[in-house]
Amino acid sequence: MMDMSLRLLRWTVHATAFTLLVVAVLTALREERVAVAVGGVLLGLAYAAGFAIEGRRVWLGSVTAGWVVLAVAAPPFVWLAFPLLFSYLHVLPLWGAMFGVGALTSAAILAAAWHAGGLTVPLVLGPGVAAVVVTLLALACRALLAEAGQRPE
């Protein structure tokens, strides 16, 4: 039963990532920013490739680099940081994941502030709270797997 719950959580994260990506790509197309939209499609393909790639750390680095470029190019891509946080917590060892979550959250805050023309309390609190919630959720899943005697995938 727990395996099914964790699988459902994983697919929810992927569905969220692709939904946010589709919204960002459609927004870029509506603004006639075709190159940004194409970059979004390429990022989606790179993200999807993670299902089949063995070298997940290289994949995570590639997806993160693509996200940084797109987050600077257009505001809707900033929000893709949130499903990426789960990837950091899934792919990296805990110490690396904590560093990655901090760096990714900081980058999301800076990119959002840059697009907004300045730093505001909601632009700091939103990503900060999301990072804490995502981290606690991922750590709870790890603990449940450990308790069940399973190794996280």
Side-chain angles (χ1 to χ4, degrees):
M1 182 64 169
M2 187 176 349
D3 187 42
M4 181 61 169
S5 300
L6 293 174
R7 222 179 293 143
L8 179 62
L9 176 63
R10 184 173 293 134
W11 282 105
T12 302
V13 169
H14 296 319
T16 300
F18 282 108
T19 300
L20 290 170
L21 190 58
V22 167
V23 168
V25 167
L26 291 176
T27 301
L29 287 174
R30 190 177 64 237
E31 295 171 354
E32 297 181 9
R33 299 182 68 192
V34 177
V36 173
V38 169
V41 170
L42 293 174
L43 180 63
L45 292 172
Y47 183 88
F51 297 112
I53 291 176
E54 288 298 319
R56 292 200 174 218
R57 290 180 185 173
V58 172
W59 165 82
L60 186 58
S62 300
V63 170
T64 300
W67 171 80
V68 167
V69 170
L70 290 169
V72 169
F77 288 98
V78 172
W79 309 117
L80 284 165
F82 302 118
L84 272 180
L85 292 172
F86 277 103
S87 296
Y88 276 78
L89 290 156
H90 179 70
V91 171
L92 299 174
L94 188 57
W95 67 269
M98 294 294 103
F99 177 80
V101 165
L104 192 65
T105 302
S106 298
I109 291 168
L110 291 173
W114 185 71
H115 287 295
L119 196 59
T120 64
V121 172
L123 287 178
V124 173
L125 287 180
V129 168
V132 169
V133 170
V134 166
T135 300
L136 292 175
L137 201 63
L139 292 175
C141 289
R142 281 186 184 203
L144 287 171
L145 283 171
E147 189 175 301
Q150 298 180 19
R151 186 175 168 265
E153 293 178 16

